[in-house]
Amino acid sequence: MLSACLIYYFLTFGKTKEQEVFYIKMTHLKWWKIAAIILVLYAIIAGFLLPVPALPILHESIRNLYFHVTMWFAMITMLAISVVYGIKYLRSNNHDHDIISSEAINVGIVLGLLGVSTGSLWANNTWGAWWVNDPKLNGSAISLLFYFAYLILRSALPDEDKKARVSAIYNIFAFTMMLLFIGVLPRMTDSLHPGNGGNPGFGGYDLDGTMKIVFYPAIIGWTLTALWILTLRVEYKRLYEKIQNL
Amino acid sequence: MLLFLIYKEIKLELRNKYALGGIFLYVIATVYTSYLSFKNIIHPATWNALFWIILLFASINAISKSFIQDSQGRQLYHYTLFKPQQVILSKIIYNAVLMVFISLLCFIFYAAFINYLVQNLYMFLLVLLAGSIGFSSILTMVSAIASKTQGNFSMMAILSFPMLIPFLITLIKVSKLAVDGIDNSVCYPYLWVLILINIIVIGLSYILFPYLWQD
């Protein structure tokens, strides 16, 4: 569909040099990047237009599910990639793995900030405050603190090799603790979030399954977009270091 | 070998008495300062929270030096003699013993000066033990990481606080239950979580420290 639109655009408006470059770039995208574009567009358009269950308190703000929750999925994917490459770095001492690991954390932090801000907007509309004392909110704030500390640790180590090794170790340590703090501790107490402390899971709100047909594609779309950003960042970092080493 | 390393840590600590004495004095002075500013705390939640915050800062003070005090030359010497796993385990065990002493001392002084509100002493002491071991295992590993950055104290705090806060929240919750005299069966799930965190942290330190050690 996308390439059909592009061909139409291309044939209608003639071709300049720039248009030709744009056309070649767009038609040579890998399939998963095209999937990312289509799925995110679908999530935004369908997310705002398709019907949602009419519920008290939540009302139309339930559409935030397609953005708030998907950001967390994308963030966890990025952080998991970062840990995997951190472990790979410790085993191989390959500098390229360190680039991927650290850039995945940078992308993950941006997604985490987006997740917190969308969540904060949602909380203000449904719970009546921008920030509440909820175990999941505390968990996300603490995990952001973890990764800010990671950035500071990286900047405090001047030697490249040492920086990569020490930060990979801290990364593995932090990720494991974060899984523990987000995964185990909130289940011990009451939470305002669905699925904790006697609240029904979100599936309980979505009685006729209308939200699933947007929610699942949205998760995949945002995750693929995050991956795309990651590949661009990694490519940029590799080129940057190549120039530095010239 | 492990016992030898622990023995070496104790001997080193006793040789420069000012460090050990400094920590004890730090605890006593903090408790006395709280006594002067609060006089008497009747509210159990406040009593409990203040106790753990005093203990938190005392433990950061006590453990932050555990890798920094070893000079580069001595570390190199240890590197030729011992396995890294032995080094980190000996430090964790030594620090845990030290922390148990510090927390008991802190508890006695706190109870004597400020107030004694604990109704379930057995559970409170168990929590104190789990908390001391947890503080020592988390902070030992973090101090090993922080020592790579030419060890400044602020780095230690920055790196350790995100790990300590959730641990501290759980500690405060379960020790509040103990202070209120709630039955043991209610407290055990929290205690299991604390023990789980301890096991995971010690396991991670055991696996990751060799990579940190190779310089």
Side-chain angles (χ1 to χ4, degrees):
Chain A
M1 192 187 81
L2 190 71
S3 39
C5 291
L6 284 169
I7 290 167
Y8 173 75
Y9 174 82
F10 183 60
L11 290 175
T12 325
F13 298 104
K15 53 177 178 181
T16 63
K17 187 72 185 165
E18 290 79 33
Q19 280 168 348
E20 203 163 345
V21 170
F22 178 69
Y23 174 72
I24 290 168
K25 266 188 186 165
M26 292 307 277
T27 47
H28 283 72
L29 281 181
K30 290 209 174 67
W31 62 270
W32 59 270
K33 293 180 181 170
I34 295 168
I37 297 173
I38 292 171
L39 287 174
V40 166
L41 277 177
Y42 169 73
I44 293 171
I45 296 168
F48 281 116
L49 292 182
L50 284 187
V52 288
L55 292 167
I57 303 173
L58 278 170
H59 300 299
E60 291 290 321
S61 81
I62 200 170
R63 293 179 195 279
N64 201 357
L65 177 77
Y66 308 136
F67 304 100
H68 171 63
V69 183
T70 51
M71 287 303 150
W72 292 120
F73 274 95
M75 182 191 85
I76 289 289
T77 314
M78 285 299 111
L79 298 182
I81 288 173
S82 155
V83 166
V84 168
Y85 276 92
I87 295 170
K88 273 189 170 182
Y89 177 81
L90 287 182
R91 300 182 76 90
S92 69
N93 273 331
N94 182 350
H95 184 61
D96 205 46
H97 291 154
D98 176 53
I99 294 178
I100 298 173
S101 175
S102 61
E103 288 304 330
I105 283 192
N106 284 338
V107 179
I109 286 176
V110 173
L111 290 167
L113 288 176
L114 285 172
V116 165
S117 47
T118 48
S120 187
L121 277 172
W122 203 359
N124 190 38
N125 278 308
T126 51
W127 300 335
W130 294 102
W131 193 270
V132 291
N133 188 6
D134 182 86
K136 281 215 170 169
L137 273 78
N138 292 336
S140 57
I142 285 161
S143 32
L144 278 176
L145 272 184
F146 258 130
Y147 288 103
F148 287 134
Y150 173 88
L151 292 184
I152 290 171
L153 177 67
R154 273 188 85 83
S155 60
L157 290 157
D159 177 43
E160 281 295 326
D161 197 40
K162 208 179 199 179
K163 176 194 281 186
R165 192 148 35 79
V166 173
S167 62
I169 290 167
Y170 187 70
N171 185 7
I172 297 167
F173 211 64
F175 186 75
T176 320
M177 298 301 273
M178 190 189 77
L179 282 187
L180 202 68
F181 295 147
I182 301 185
V184 179
L185 293 189
R187 309 217 182 287
M188 305 282 298
T189 52
D190 292 334
S191 169
L192 292 164
H193 274 83
N196 292 105
N199 281 341
F202 221 97
Y205 295 128
D206 185 22
L207 294 173
D208 46 0
T210 45
M211 297 191 73
K212 283 195 186 96
I213 57 167
V214 183
F215 181 52
Y216 294 142
I219 293 175
I220 301 169
W222 286 115
T223 309
L224 287 177
T225 312
L227 266 179
W228 192 357
I229 298 170
L230 173 64
T231 55
L232 291 176
R233 289 284 313 181
V234 168
E235 209 53 48
Y236 163 76
K237 201 67 191 273
R238 280 179 189 151
L239 290 173
Y240 180 78
E241 290 195 353
K242 208 178 248 176
I243 293 168
Q244 293 280 303
N245 293 335
L246 275 180
Chain B
M1 216 42 132
L2 197 62
L3 283 176
F4 175 76
L5 271 170
I6 298 170
Y7 173 68
K8 169 235 139 196
E9 287 286 334
I10 294 171
K11 206 170 173 185
L12 212 64
E13 191 75 64
L14 290 179
R15 194 176 292 164
N16 39 11
K17 292 190 186 63
Y18 72 93
L20 200 60
I23 291 302
F24 287 143
L25 196 61
Y26 179 89
V27 171
I28 294 165
T30 318
V31 171
Y32 197 69
T33 313
S34 323
Y35 162 69
L36 289 180
S37 26
F38 285 97
K39 297 290 186 248
N40 188 0
I41 298 175
I42 313 163
H43 194 228
T46 319
W47 184 89
N48 186 33
L50 183 67
F51 175 73
W52 283 106
I53 288 170
I54 291 173
L55 205 54
L56 172 74
F57 281 94
S59 63
I60 291 179
N61 256 326
I63 300 175
S64 65
K65 63 176 173 43
S66 64
F67 276 90
I68 296 161
Q69 73 174 6
D70 282 1
S71 65
Q72 205 74 39
R74 194 192 284 155
Q75 284 196 4
L76 205 64
Y77 178 59
H78 285 170
Y79 184 64
T80 58
L81 285 182
F82 309 113
K83 282 190 191 147
Q85 283 94 342
Q86 291 173 335
V87 174
I88 187 77
L89 277 185
S90 74
K91 294 241 185 212
I92 288 177
I93 292 170
Y94 170 72
N95 281 331
V97 174
L98 179 68
M99 273 312 299
V100 169
F101 274 113
I102 291 176
S103 54
L104 278 179
L105 185 87
C106 185
F107 178 51
I108 291 166
F109 270 87
Y110 196 74
F113 276 109
I114 296 185
N115 210 344
Y116 179 77
L117 297 172
V118 183
Q119 292 179 28
N120 187 347
L121 184 64
Y122 163 72
M123 188 40 82
F124 191 85
L125 288 179
L126 272 185
V127 175
L128 210 59
L129 184 70
S132 311
I133 297 171
F135 280 152
S136 81
S137 54
I138 292 176
L139 286 169
T140 307
M141 187 58 189
V142 171
S143 86
I145 293 173
S147 72
K148 296 286 169 195
T149 62
Q150 314 318 321
N152 49 20
F153 187 75
S154 73
M155 190 54 95
M156 177 84 193
I158 290 168
L159 295 180
S160 64
F161 270 129
M163 294 192 201
L164 286 175
I165 294 169
F167 189 72
L168 190 75
I169 292 171
T170 317
L171 270 178
I172 287 180
K173 202 171 283 168
V174 55
S175 84
K176 174 72 170 48
L177 293 178
V179 169
D180 288 344
I182 308 281
D183 190 61
N184 288 346
S185 60
V186 184
C187 306
Y188 280 131
Y190 292 100
L191 207 60
W192 282 121
V193 169
L194 292 179
I195 291 168
L196 178 76
I197 294 176
N198 280 345
I199 291 172
I200 288 175
V201 171
I202 293 172
L204 275 176
S205 313
Y206 189 82
I207 297 165
L208 291 176
F209 186 72
Y211 295 102
L212 200 65
W213 186 245
Q214 46 176 257
D215 240 348

